[in-house]
mmCIF file of all heavy atoms in Angstrom:
data_model
loop_
_atom_site.group_PDB
_atom_site.id
_atom_site.type_symbol
_atom_site.label_atom_id
_atom_site.label_comp_id
_atom_site.label_asym_id
_atom_site.label_seq_id
_atom_site.Cartn_x
_atom_site.Cartn_y
_atom_site.Cartn_z
ATOM 1 N N PRO A 1 -32.743 24.734 -81.690
ATOM 2 C CA PRO A 1 -33.360 24.564 -83.019
ATOM 3 C C PRO A 1 -34.678 23.790 -82.942
ATOM 4 O O PRO A 1 -34.848 22.895 -82.115
ATOM 5 C CB PRO A 1 -32.289 23.779 -83.792
ATOM 6 C CG PRO A 1 -31.012 24.048 -83.056
ATOM 7 C CD PRO A 1 -31.393 24.180 -81.611
ATOM 8 N N ALA A 2 -35.575 24.135 -83.839
ATOM 9 C CA ALA A 2 -36.873 23.452 -83.890
ATOM 10 C C ALA A 2 -36.719 21.963 -84.130
ATOM 11 O O ALA A 2 -37.503 21.154 -83.617
ATOM 12 C CB ALA A 2 -37.739 24.074 -84.981
ATOM 13 N N VAL A 3 -35.687 21.574 -84.883
ATOM 14 C CA VAL A 3 -35.485 20.146 -85.155
ATOM 15 C C VAL A 3 -35.156 19.391 -83.877
ATOM 16 O O VAL A 3 -35.553 18.225 -83.718
ATOM 17 C CB VAL A 3 -34.373 19.964 -86.209
ATOM 18 C CG1 VAL A 3 -33.014 20.456 -85.687
ATOM 19 C CG2 VAL A 3 -34.285 18.504 -86.645
ATOM 20 N N ASP A 4 -34.451 20.034 -82.949
ATOM 21 C CA ASP A 4 -34.118 19.396 -81.667
ATOM 22 C C ASP A 4 -35.368 19.267 -80.800
ATOM 23 O O ASP A 4 -35.528 18.259 -80.086
ATOM 24 C CB ASP A 4 -33.041 20.169 -80.939
ATOM 25 C CG ASP A 4 -31.669 20.040 -81.587
ATOM 26 O OD1 ASP A 4 -31.504 19.135 -82.425
ATOM 27 O OD2 ASP A 4 -30.783 20.820 -81.226
ATOM 28 N N VAL A 5 -36.213 20.276 -80.838
ATOM 29 C CA VAL A 5 -37.476 20.186 -80.089
ATOM 30 C C VAL A 5 -38.346 19.057 -80.622
ATOM 31 O O VAL A 5 -38.932 18.291 -79.879
ATOM 32 C CB VAL A 5 -38.218 21.528 -80.138
ATOM 33 C CG1 VAL A 5 -39.604 21.402 -79.494
ATOM 34 C CG2 VAL A 5 -37.428 22.624 -79.454
ATOM 35 N N ARG A 6 -38.388 18.930 -81.957
ATOM 36 C CA ARG A 6 -39.189 17.851 -82.577
ATOM 37 C C ARG A 6 -38.639 16.484 -82.193
ATOM 38 O O ARG A 6 -39.395 15.562 -81.922
ATOM 39 C CB ARG A 6 -39.203 17.998 -84.111
ATOM 40 C CG ARG A 6 -40.103 19.116 -84.599
ATOM 41 C CD ARG A 6 -40.407 18.938 -86.086
ATOM 42 N NE ARG A 6 -39.193 18.956 -86.896
ATOM 43 C CZ ARG A 6 -38.659 20.057 -87.387
ATOM 44 N NH1 ARG A 6 -39.203 21.249 -87.128
ATOM 45 N NH2 ARG A 6 -37.571 20.005 -88.135
ATOM 46 N N ARG A 7 -37.309 16.366 -82.172
ATOM 47 C CA ARG A 7 -36.697 15.102 -81.782
ATOM 48 C C ARG A 7 -37.073 14.738 -80.336
ATOM 49 O O ARG A 7 -37.381 13.595 -80.033
ATOM 50 C CB ARG A 7 -35.164 15.168 -81.925
ATOM 51 C CG ARG A 7 -34.474 13.879 -81.501
ATOM 52 C CD ARG A 7 -32.982 13.951 -81.658
ATOM 53 N NE ARG A 7 -32.385 14.959 -80.796
ATOM 54 C CZ ARG A 7 -31.054 15.056 -80.609
ATOM 55 N NH1 ARG A 7 -30.227 14.235 -81.200
ATOM 56 N NH2 ARG A 7 -30.584 15.988 -79.804
ATOM 57 N N MET A 8 -37.057 15.740 -79.478
ATOM 58 C CA MET A 8 -37.415 15.522 -78.068
ATOM 59 C C MET A 8 -38.884 15.100 -77.965
ATOM 60 O O MET A 8 -39.223 14.211 -77.181
ATOM 61 C CB MET A 8 -37.167 16.798 -77.297
ATOM 62 C CG MET A 8 -37.208 16.675 -75.787
ATOM 63 S SD MET A 8 -36.659 18.227 -75.041
ATOM 64 C CE MET A 8 -37.135 17.894 -73.319
ATOM 65 N N LEU A 9 -39.760 15.717 -78.751
ATOM 66 C CA LEU A 9 -41.179 15.359 -78.750
ATOM 67 C C LEU A 9 -41.373 13.934 -79.228
ATOM 68 O O LEU A 9 -42.197 13.172 -78.721
ATOM 69 C CB LEU A 9 -41.978 16.345 -79.597
ATOM 70 C CG LEU A 9 -42.158 17.754 -79.024
ATOM 71 C CD1 LEU A 9 -42.726 18.687 -80.083
ATOM 72 C CD2 LEU A 9 -43.090 17.692 -77.796
ATOM 73 N N GLU A 10 -40.620 13.542 -80.260
ATOM 74 C CA GLU A 10 -40.705 12.171 -80.783
ATOM 75 C C GLU A 10 -40.236 11.155 -79.734
ATOM 76 O O GLU A 10 -40.863 10.097 -79.566
ATOM 77 C CB GLU A 10 -39.877 12.053 -82.061
ATOM 78 C CG GLU A 10 -40.462 12.801 -83.243
ATOM 79 C CD GLU A 10 -39.492 12.902 -84.415
ATOM 80 O OE1 GLU A 10 -38.356 12.384 -84.282
ATOM 81 O OE2 GLU A 10 -39.855 13.470 -85.453
ATOM 82 N N ASP A 11 -39.146 11.461 -79.051
ATOM 83 C CA ASP A 11 -38.647 10.576 -77.994
ATOM 84 C C ASP A 11 -39.679 10.455 -76.877
ATOM 85 O O ASP A 11 -39.916 9.344 -76.349
ATOM 86 C CB ASP A 11 -37.340 11.111 -77.397
ATOM 87 C CG ASP A 11 -36.166 10.985 -78.369
ATOM 88 O OD1 ASP A 11 -36.253 10.203 -79.321
ATOM 89 O OD2 ASP A 11 -35.169 11.732 -78.164
ATOM 90 N N ALA A 12 -40.304 11.584 -76.528
ATOM 91 C CA ALA A 12 -41.314 11.561 -75.460
ATOM 92 C C ALA A 12 -42.526 10.721 -75.853
ATOM 93 O O ALA A 12 -43.035 9.931 -75.039
ATOM 94 C CB ALA A 12 -41.739 12.989 -75.142
ATOM 95 N N GLU A 13 -42.971 10.865 -77.077
ATOM 96 C CA GLU A 13 -44.148 10.120 -77.532
ATOM 97 C C GLU A 13 -43.841 8.617 -77.609
ATOM 98 O O GLU A 13 -44.679 7.791 -77.247
ATOM 99 C CB GLU A 13 -44.608 10.632 -78.902
ATOM 100 C CG GLU A 13 -45.841 9.910 -79.446
ATOM 101 C CD GLU A 13 -47.005 9.871 -78.473
ATOM 102 O OE1 GLU A 13 -47.231 10.874 -77.753
ATOM 103 O OE2 GLU A 13 -47.683 8.825 -78.393
ATOM 104 N N GLU A 14 -42.658 8.252 -78.087
ATOM 105 C CA GLU A 14 -42.301 6.840 -78.154
ATOM 106 C C GLU A 14 -42.255 6.216 -76.777
ATOM 107 O O GLU A 14 -42.723 5.099 -76.551
ATOM 108 C CB GLU A 14 -40.996 6.631 -78.891
ATOM 109 C CG GLU A 14 -40.652 5.143 -79.074
ATOM 110 C CD GLU A 14 -39.421 4.893 -79.876
ATOM 111 O OE1 GLU A 14 -38.671 5.863 -80.186
ATOM 112 O OE2 GLU A 14 -39.177 3.717 -80.227
ATOM 113 N N PHE A 15 -41.662 6.934 -75.823
ATOM 114 C CA PHE A 15 -41.578 6.419 -74.464
ATOM 115 C C PHE A 15 -42.964 6.267 -73.855
ATOM 116 O O PHE A 15 -43.274 5.250 -73.206
ATOM 117 C CB PHE A 15 -40.735 7.342 -73.572
ATOM 118 C CG PHE A 15 -40.424 6.748 -72.230
ATOM 119 C CD1 PHE A 15 -39.346 5.896 -72.056
ATOM 120 C CD2 PHE A 15 -41.223 7.016 -71.137
ATOM 121 C CE1 PHE A 15 -39.072 5.342 -70.818
ATOM 122 C CE2 PHE A 15 -40.959 6.480 -69.883
ATOM 123 C CZ PHE A 15 -39.880 5.625 -69.717
ATOM 124 N N ALA A 16 -43.844 7.248 -74.054
ATOM 125 C CA ALA A 16 -45.189 7.175 -73.543
ATOM 126 C C ALA A 16 -45.954 5.997 -74.166
ATOM 127 O O ALA A 16 -46.694 5.276 -73.487
ATOM 128 C CB ALA A 16 -45.940 8.486 -73.810
ATOM 129 N N SER A 17 -45.746 5.765 -75.453
ATOM 130 C CA SER A 17 -46.390 4.635 -76.134
ATOM 131 C C SER A 17 -45.900 3.303 -75.552
ATOM 132 O O SER A 17 -46.681 2.387 -75.370
ATOM 133 C CB SER A 17 -46.094 4.681 -77.637
ATOM 134 O OG SER A 17 -46.674 5.822 -78.229
ATOM 135 N N ALA A 18 -44.594 3.232 -75.280
ATOM 136 C CA ALA A 18 -44.030 2.009 -74.701
ATOM 137 C C ALA A 18 -44.633 1.717 -73.333
ATOM 138 O O ALA A 18 -44.913 0.548 -72.991
ATOM 139 C CB ALA A 18 -42.514 2.120 -74.614
ATOM 140 N N GLN A 19 -44.844 2.748 -72.531
ATOM 141 C CA GLN A 19 -45.428 2.535 -71.213
ATOM 142 C C GLN A 19 -46.903 2.144 -71.305
ATOM 143 O O GLN A 19 -47.368 1.301 -70.527
ATOM 144 C CB GLN A 19 -45.265 3.787 -70.346
ATOM 145 C CG GLN A 19 -43.829 4.138 -70.049
ATOM 146 C CD GLN A 19 -43.023 2.950 -69.503
ATOM 147 O OE1 GLN A 19 -43.423 2.276 -68.592
ATOM 148 N NE2 GLN A 19 -41.869 2.698 -70.135
ATOM 149 N N ARG A 20 -47.643 2.701 -72.248
ATOM 150 C CA ARG A 20 -49.037 2.275 -72.454
ATOM 151 C C ARG A 20 -49.079 0.797 -72.889
ATOM 152 O O ARG A 20 -49.916 0.031 -72.420
ATOM 153 C CB ARG A 20 -49.711 3.144 -73.527
ATOM 154 C CG ARG A 20 -50.003 4.571 -73.079
ATOM 155 C CD ARG A 20 -50.980 5.255 -74.009
ATOM 156 N NE ARG A 20 -50.411 5.408 -75.358
ATOM 157 C CZ ARG A 20 -49.726 6.479 -75.744
ATOM 158 N NH1 ARG A 20 -49.486 7.457 -74.884
ATOM 159 N NH2 ARG A 20 -49.248 6.570 -76.965
ATOM 160 N N PHE A 21 -48.176 0.439 -73.765
ATOM 161 C CA PHE A 21 -48.053 -0.937 -74.240
ATOM 162 C C PHE A 21 -47.788 -1.894 -73.070
ATOM 163 O O PHE A 21 -48.455 -2.921 -72.923
ATOM 164 C CB PHE A 21 -46.922 -0.986 -75.272
ATOM 165 C CG PHE A 21 -46.504 -2.364 -75.707
ATOM 166 C CD1 PHE A 21 -47.221 -3.030 -76.681
ATOM 167 C CD2 PHE A 21 -45.387 -2.954 -75.171
ATOM 168 C CE1 PHE A 21 -46.811 -4.299 -77.123
ATOM 169 C CE2 PHE A 21 -44.965 -4.196 -75.590
ATOM 170 C CZ PHE A 21 -45.686 -4.878 -76.569
ATOM 171 N N ARG A 22 -46.823 -1.522 -72.245
ATOM 172 C CA ARG A 22 -46.469 -2.389 -71.114
ATOM 173 C C ARG A 22 -47.638 -2.536 -70.134
ATOM 174 O O ARG A 22 -47.931 -3.626 -69.664
ATOM 175 C CB ARG A 22 -45.239 -1.818 -70.401
ATOM 176 C CG ARG A 22 -44.757 -2.668 -69.239
ATOM 177 C CD ARG A 22 -43.680 -1.970 -68.460
ATOM 178 N NE ARG A 22 -43.228 -2.823 -67.343
ATOM 179 C CZ ARG A 22 -42.519 -2.363 -66.325
ATOM 180 N NH1 ARG A 22 -42.129 -1.107 -66.289
ATOM 181 N NH2 ARG A 22 -42.153 -3.175 -65.358
ATOM 182 N N ARG A 23 -48.281 -1.402 -69.814
ATOM 183 C CA ARG A 23 -49.402 -1.451 -68.865
ATOM 184 C C ARG A 23 -50.546 -2.325 -69.369
ATOM 185 O O ARG A 23 -51.081 -3.166 -68.649
ATOM 186 C CB ARG A 23 -49.924 -0.034 -68.573
ATOM 187 C CG ARG A 23 -48.989 0.834 -67.754
ATOM 188 C CD ARG A 23 -49.727 2.019 -67.174
ATOM 189 N NE ARG A 23 -50.405 2.818 -68.161
ATOM 190 C CZ ARG A 23 -49.830 3.791 -68.872
ATOM 191 N NH1 ARG A 23 -48.576 4.066 -68.691
ATOM 192 N NH2 ARG A 23 -50.547 4.503 -69.725
ATOM 193 N N LYS A 24 -50.923 -2.125 -70.630
ATOM 194 C CA LYS A 24 -52.050 -2.880 -71.177
ATOM 195 C C LYS A 24 -51.752 -4.381 -71.212
ATOM 196 O O LYS A 24 -52.596 -5.221 -70.887
ATOM 197 C CB LYS A 24 -52.379 -2.386 -72.602
ATOM 198 C CG LYS A 24 -53.189 -1.097 -72.631
ATOM 199 C CD LYS A 24 -53.522 -0.733 -74.043
ATOM 200 C CE LYS A 24 -54.425 0.511 -74.091
ATOM 201 N NZ LYS A 24 -55.780 0.196 -73.568
ATOM 202 N N TRP A 25 -50.524 -4.717 -71.600
ATOM 203 C CA TRP A 25 -50.167 -6.134 -71.697
ATOM 204 C C TRP A 25 -50.098 -6.782 -70.326
ATOM 205 O O TRP A 25 -50.610 -7.873 -70.114
ATOM 206 C CB TRP A 25 -48.855 -6.293 -72.453
ATOM 207 C CG TRP A 25 -48.679 -7.674 -73.041
ATOM 208 C CD1 TRP A 25 -49.422 -8.770 -72.748
ATOM 209 C CD2 TRP A 25 -47.735 -8.063 -74.033
ATOM 210 N NE1 TRP A 25 -48.986 -9.850 -73.480
ATOM 211 C CE2 TRP A 25 -47.950 -9.433 -74.279
ATOM 212 C CE3 TRP A 25 -46.723 -7.408 -74.713
ATOM 213 C CZ2 TRP A 25 -47.181 -10.171 -75.183
ATOM 214 C CZ3 TRP A 25 -45.968 -8.129 -75.609
ATOM 215 C CH2 TRP A 25 -46.192 -9.485 -75.847
ATOM 216 N N ASN A 26 -49.464 -6.115 -69.379
ATOM 217 C CA ASN A 26 -49.367 -6.704 -68.036
ATOM 218 C C ASN A 26 -50.741 -6.741 -67.333
ATOM 219 O O ASN A 26 -51.007 -7.655 -66.554
ATOM 220 C CB ASN A 26 -48.362 -5.924 -67.190
ATOM 221 C CG ASN A 26 -46.931 -6.405 -67.439
ATOM 222 O OD1 ASN A 26 -46.720 -7.567 -67.775
ATOM 223 N ND2 ASN A 26 -45.966 -5.529 -67.262
ATOM 224 N N ASP A 27 -51.606 -5.775 -67.626
ATOM 225 C CA ASP A 27 -52.975 -5.839 -67.088
ATOM 226 C C ASP A 27 -53.681 -7.085 -67.601
ATOM 227 O O ASP A 27 -54.395 -7.769 -66.850
ATOM 228 C CB ASP A 27 -53.777 -4.602 -67.484
ATOM 229 C CG ASP A 27 -53.385 -3.368 -66.695
ATOM 230 O OD1 ASP A 27 -52.652 -3.521 -65.686
ATOM 231 O OD2 ASP A 27 -53.769 -2.255 -67.103
ATOM 232 N N LEU A 28 -53.457 -7.406 -68.859
ATOM 233 C CA LEU A 28 -54.074 -8.594 -69.431
ATOM 234 C C LEU A 28 -53.515 -9.855 -68.779
ATOM 235 O O LEU A 28 -54.252 -10.779 -68.454
ATOM 236 C CB LEU A 28 -53.824 -8.631 -70.935
ATOM 237 C CG LEU A 28 -54.353 -9.847 -71.688
ATOM 238 C CD1 LEU A 28 -55.861 -9.834 -71.747
ATOM 239 C CD2 LEU A 28 -53.760 -9.906 -73.098
ATOM 240 N N CYS A 29 -52.195 -9.886 -68.612
ATOM 241 C CA CYS A 29 -51.566 -11.057 -67.975
ATOM 242 C C CYS A 29 -52.087 -11.262 -66.559
ATOM 243 O O CYS A 29 -52.402 -12.374 -66.141
ATOM 244 C CB CYS A 29 -50.055 -10.902 -67.969
ATOM 245 S SG CYS A 29 -49.269 -10.880 -69.584
ATOM 246 N N GLU A 30 -52.181 -10.171 -65.801
ATOM 247 C CA GLU A 30 -52.631 -10.269 -64.418
ATOM 248 C C GLU A 30 -54.103 -10.685 -64.324
ATOM 249 O O GLU A 30 -54.514 -11.366 -63.374
ATOM 250 C CB GLU A 30 -52.439 -8.913 -63.716
ATOM 251 C CG GLU A 30 -50.984 -8.554 -63.480
ATOM 252 C CD GLU A 30 -50.798 -7.146 -62.991
ATOM 253 O OE1 GLU A 30 -51.830 -6.486 -62.724
ATOM 254 O OE2 GLU A 30 -49.641 -6.700 -62.881
ATOM 255 N N ALA A 31 -54.894 -10.279 -65.310
ATOM 256 C CA ALA A 31 -56.307 -10.667 -65.311
ATOM 257 C C ALA A 31 -56.514 -12.144 -65.683
ATOM 258 O O ALA A 31 -57.590 -12.705 -65.451
ATOM 259 C CB ALA A 31 -57.083 -9.782 -66.275
ATOM 260 N N GLY A 32 -55.466 -12.745 -66.239
ATOM 261 C CA GLY A 32 -55.569 -14.167 -66.595
ATOM 262 C C GLY A 32 -56.518 -14.425 -67.739
ATOM 263 O O GLY A 32 -57.090 -15.515 -67.870
ATOM 264 N N LEU A 33 -56.678 -13.433 -68.614
ATOM 265 C CA LEU A 33 -57.639 -13.609 -69.712
ATOM 266 C C LEU A 33 -57.089 -14.479 -70.845
ATOM 267 O O LEU A 33 -57.860 -15.020 -71.628
ATOM 268 C CB LEU A 33 -58.007 -12.226 -70.272
ATOM 269 C CG LEU A 33 -58.684 -11.266 -69.288
ATOM 270 C CD1 LEU A 33 -58.990 -9.941 -69.967
ATOM 271 C CD2 LEU A 33 -59.980 -11.879 -68.738
ATOM 272 N N GLU A 34 -55.774 -14.582 -70.916
ATOM 273 C CA GLU A 34 -55.200 -15.328 -72.027
ATOM 274 C C GLU A 34 -55.258 -16.831 -71.846
ATOM 275 O O GLU A 34 -55.342 -17.570 -72.791
ATOM 276 C CB GLU A 34 -53.740 -14.918 -72.227
ATOM 277 C CG GLU A 34 -53.550 -13.618 -72.987
ATOM 278 C CD GLU A 34 -53.808 -13.756 -74.461
ATOM 279 O OE1 GLU A 34 -54.118 -14.893 -74.910
ATOM 280 O OE2 GLU A 34 -53.733 -12.760 -75.195
ATOM 281 N N PHE A 35 -55.221 -17.297 -70.614
ATOM 282 C CA PHE A 35 -55.160 -18.743 -70.443
ATOM 283 C C PHE A 35 -55.720 -19.104 -69.040
ATOM 284 O O PHE A 35 -55.627 -18.335 -68.109
ATOM 285 C CB PHE A 35 -53.730 -19.288 -70.575
ATOM 286 C CG PHE A 35 -52.685 -18.367 -70.055
ATOM 287 C CD1 PHE A 35 -52.401 -18.288 -68.702
ATOM 288 C CD2 PHE A 35 -51.966 -17.527 -70.925
ATOM 289 C CE1 PHE A 35 -51.428 -17.417 -68.223
ATOM 290 C CE2 PHE A 35 -51.011 -16.685 -70.429
ATOM 291 C CZ PHE A 35 -50.741 -16.628 -69.083
ATOM 292 N N ASP A 36 -56.309 -20.274 -68.952
ATOM 293 C CA ASP A 36 -56.897 -20.746 -67.691
ATOM 294 C C ASP A 36 -56.413 -22.182 -67.462
ATOM 295 O O ASP A 36 -56.859 -23.100 -68.133
ATOM 296 C CB ASP A 36 -58.431 -20.687 -67.775
ATOM 297 C CG ASP A 36 -59.076 -21.122 -66.478
ATOM 298 O OD1 ASP A 36 -58.380 -21.108 -65.445
ATOM 299 O OD2 ASP A 36 -60.268 -21.465 -66.514
ATOM 300 N N GLU A 37 -55.490 -22.338 -66.507
ATOM 301 C CA GLU A 37 -54.892 -23.639 -66.179
ATOM 302 C C GLU A 37 -54.470 -24.376 -67.450
ATOM 303 O O GLU A 37 -54.972 -25.474 -67.761
ATOM 304 C CB GLU A 37 -55.878 -24.481 -65.379
ATOM 305 C CG GLU A 37 -56.225 -23.841 -64.035
ATOM 306 C CD GLU A 37 -57.172 -24.730 -63.227
ATOM 307 O OE1 GLU A 37 -57.520 -25.822 -63.725
ATOM 308 O OE2 GLU A 37 -57.530 -24.325 -62.107
ATOM 309 N N PRO A 38 -53.571 -23.783 -68.242
ATOM 310 C CA PRO A 38 -53.228 -24.387 -69.522
ATOM 311 C C PRO A 38 -52.301 -25.590 -69.397
ATOM 312 O O PRO A 38 -51.649 -25.791 -68.369
ATOM 313 C CB PRO A 38 -52.502 -23.246 -70.236
ATOM 314 C CG PRO A 38 -51.844 -22.502 -69.114
ATOM 315 C CD PRO A 38 -52.807 -22.598 -67.967
#
């Protein structure tokens, strides 16, 4: 059913968003931009 395909697409997009979120945040942490010898 089309509704099942849409659900799968929604799950895929949410997972992809979560991985973008994790990468961007950890890149910031590794760069040390948030704090310097706090």
